[in-house]
Amino acid sequence: MLSVGSEAPNFSLPGVEGDEFDEFSLAGALREDLVVIAFYPADFSPTCTSELCTLQDMDLLNLDADVTLFGISGDSMYSHRRFAEEYDISYPLLADSMGEVAAEYGVCMPDWRGHRNVPKRSVFVIDERQRVRYAWSTDDQSVLPDVGAVRAAIDDVRDDRTAVQRYARGHEHLGAGRGRFETAWSEYEVGAWLGAVEHFDEAVAYFDAASESLRSAERFAESERVERACQDAGDRADDYRQAARWYARSAEHYAEGDAELGDEYRSDAEGPHEAASTGDELPPPSSLFPEE
């Protein structure tokens, strides 16, 4: 079995998420999230059902901005789809039909109940540098993983390099949102209400993405300096998002001739707008974690 600290082998496997068939790769998921890999012997095995449903119920999916969970067995995608429908499993189930990925992770059983190359019950937590942060496997397929230990391993992944990678994404989205916001504000000031609504709403989408990345970056920050930068940038994105939402609603009411409600939403938007547009410029990502 792979040991903690070793490099996790990349893989690309067919699988199903909900009703949709797709191709899933470790490297692709790691561009956005940590990855938890749960190998299991077979769909519809009672213990496997308990394992996968327990992992789903442990609030891993409430960390969906930070964690991708893959379930992997040798079953076909059609079996996976029936299994997911039966037990309301919402994360991807991948088909390692030849057991090659399980073998690379050192958890492939040559024979299990008459089936060849079946994965052992195993769990790995992989960080964004593709390093194994947690590894567990059992030869007793009736034993379930310690979900508390899995959660602790996820919570323990704190490093500034990972945080700054996420900060960089949030910083980029925030800049794009500010560009849309400035365009919308110019239209708003001259009474071009419909154009202002469109561009404020576009700005909100960018600020949503920025806030998600920046709050994730804040959770992963190791040093106080990086944590503070992520927090400040997240606050800025949240203020801009709220201002854009209220200005958009204000513009809608002005367009409809309802000046009273337009004024009310404008008044609500002025506070977060002022908070977002004042203060120091946010530090560029390169200043937080310079390239070596």
Side-chain angles (χ1 to χ4, degrees):
M1 182 180 70
L2 291 179
S3 59
V4 171
S6 61
E7 183 175 354
N10 189 33
F11 58 78
S12 182
L13 289 172
V16 61
E17 184 174 12
D19 291 331
E20 300 296 324
F21 295 134
D22 207 342
E23 192 82 10
F24 300 86
S25 74
L26 176 63
L30 289 174
R31 284 196 288 268
E32 299 293 334
D33 297 329
L34 301 180
V35 173
V36 176
I37 303 170
F39 289 100
Y40 64 102
D43 294 337
F44 298 102
S45 169
T47 311
C48 295
T49 302
S50 298
E51 175 192 2
L52 295 182
C53 292
T54 298
L55 285 171
Q56 176 155 279
D57 291 343
M58 71 176 283
D59 284 340
L60 273 180
L61 299 187
N62 289 340
L63 298 174
D64 58 3
D66 301 329
V67 177
T68 290
L69 176 58
F70 288 143
I72 302 180
S73 79
D75 297 285
S76 72
M77 291 190 294
Y78 297 98
S79 174
H80 282 336
R81 184 165 65 179
R82 292 195 303 272
F83 188 41
E85 289 173 351
E86 179 75 19
Y87 293 99
D88 195 28
I89 295 171
S90 58
Y91 51 84
L93 298 179
L94 279 51
D96 183 21
S97 57
M98 303 299 293
E100 293 174 346
V101 174
E104 287 188 313
Y105 279 72
V107 294
C108 187
M109 296 183 287
D111 181 79
W112 181 75
R113 297 182 180 178
H115 299 280
R116 294 177 57 79
N117 301 323
V118 173
K120 293 182 182 180
R121 195 176 313 288
S122 316
V123 177
F124 296 89
V125 175
I126 314 298
D127 70 18
E128 290 193 0
R129 285 188 274 177
Q130 211 163 315
R131 295 291 174 182
V132 177
R133 300 298 293 259
Y134 173 85
W136 171 89
S137 183
T138 179
D139 291 323
D140 183 349
Q141 301 312 300
S142 67
V143 174
L144 294 176
D146 180 350
V147 293
V150 177
R151 181 60 180 266
I154 294 168
D155 291 341
D156 192 49
V157 178
R158 293 171 62 87
D159 71 87
D160 284 344
R161 185 184 296 272
T162 297
V164 173
Q165 287 173 347
R166 295 177 182 224
Y167 176 89
R169 291 200 294 268
H171 193 276
E172 181 179 356
H173 288 309
L174 182 56
R178 288 174 67 175
R180 295 295 195 283
F181 187 96
E182 289 168 7
T183 298
W185 180 248
S186 297
E187 293 169 328
Y188 185 90
E189 285 192 304
V190 299
W193 305 124
L194 297 182
V197 170
E198 179 182 353
H199 288 111
F200 277 130
D201 284 342
E202 289 177 0
V204 167
Y206 279 108
F207 295 139
D208 280 338
S211 181
E212 181 176 307
S213 292
L214 292 165
R215 295 308 180 192
S216 175
E218 183 182 346
R219 287 192 290 272
F220 281 94
E222 186 175 18
S223 70
E224 184 176 349
R225 174 171 173 266
V226 172
E227 182 179 10
R228 171 56 64 183
C230 296
Q231 184 180 69
D232 290 345
D235 290 345
R236 189 78 56 91
D238 290 343
D239 284 333
Y240 266 121
R241 176 176 55 186
Q242 191 59 71
R245 283 174 172 167
W246 281 337
Y247 279 132
R249 303 295 77 76
S250 172
E252 283 180 342
H253 288 297
Y254 284 142
E256 294 167 358
D258 191 340
E260 183 177 352
L261 270 178
D263 289 345
E264 189 173 315
Y265 274 103
R266 177 171 186 150
S267 178
D268 289 338
E270 287 172 348
H273 185 190
E274 182 178 1
S277 56
T278 57
D280 298 333
E281 278 297 310
L282 298 171
S286 59
S287 71
L288 296 177
F289 203 100
E291 291 294 327
E292 298 175 356

